[in-house]
Amino acid sequence: MLRSRSSQDNGERLAATSARRSGGEQRGVLLASLFMFVIGWGGLLNLVISTRPRIGGEIWLFFILLQIAVTGTAIPILCLVSQRLRPVNDRVPLAGVVVRRSVWIGIIVVTCAWLMIPRYMSAPILLILILLFVVIEVFLRNRELANER
């Protein structure tokens, strides 16, 4: 009886500690996403307003700033979605998972922007890209969950 109560107390302490740790981790990720949001969208605004459209360094700067801006925008949205749609008994996904998914979204948007230049972008190509990255994410997440158990 005494042993089971102490193990329950230890389990509750560990759960509370991990909740505090993930809360602090999420605050840091959200602060970084705010920084990325401001730098990315501000840089894109400055690039579009102040430079002429040329093929050269400007286009690569555009792609880099677009990646930063979209990733910074997607992080808080995915944090909220992952908290709301998780099952009741599951833990909140780690911040690294949310950041990785946000980077995937940024890569998809940058790839679509890149494919729009020679006019190769179409709905089937977009669906194939999204499916490709969803399959990769599912494999990575399954591997992570298998290692956690």
Side-chain angles (χ1 to χ4, degrees), residues 37-50:
F37 179 88
V38 170
I39 295 296
W41 291 115
L44 276 174
L45 180 67
N46 186 28
L47 182 70
V48 169
I49 289 174
S50 68

Side-chain angles (χ1 to χ4, degrees), residues 22-38 71-83 92 95-96 98-99 102:
S22 68
E25 186 179 69
Q26 274 193 336
R27 271 188 249 126
V29 168
L30 291 176
L31 184 63
S33 74
L34 177 66
F35 182 71
M36 291 170 67
F37 179 88
V38 170
T71 301
T73 304
I75 288 174
I77 295 168
L78 287 178
C79 277
L80 182 67
V81 168
S82 64
Q83 285 177 356
V92 176
V98 173
V99 170
S102 299

Side-chain angles (χ1 to χ4, degrees), residues 4-5 18 21 30 36 39-42 49 52 65-66 68 83 86 88 100 106 125 128 133 136 140 144 146:
S4 66
R5 281 189 182 170
S18 67
R21 192 177 302 141
L30 291 176
M36 291 170 67
I39 295 296
W41 291 115
I49 289 174
R52 290 184 170 190
L65 289 172
L66 184 63
I68 293 169
Q83 285 177 356
R86 70 180 168 90
V88 177
R100 183 180 65 225
I125 290 176
I128 290 169
F133 287 113
I136 291 170
L140 288 173
E144 287 175 353

Side-chain angles (χ1 to χ4, degrees), residues 6 15-16 29 40 42 48 52 57-58 65-66 74 85 103 107 109 111 116-117 120 149:
S6 66
V29 168
V48 169
R52 290 184 170 190
E58 292 86 5
L65 289 172
L66 184 63
L85 296 181
V103 170
I107 290 172
V109 169
T111 306
M116 284 180 147
I117 294 171
Y120 290 148
R149 293 181 189 147

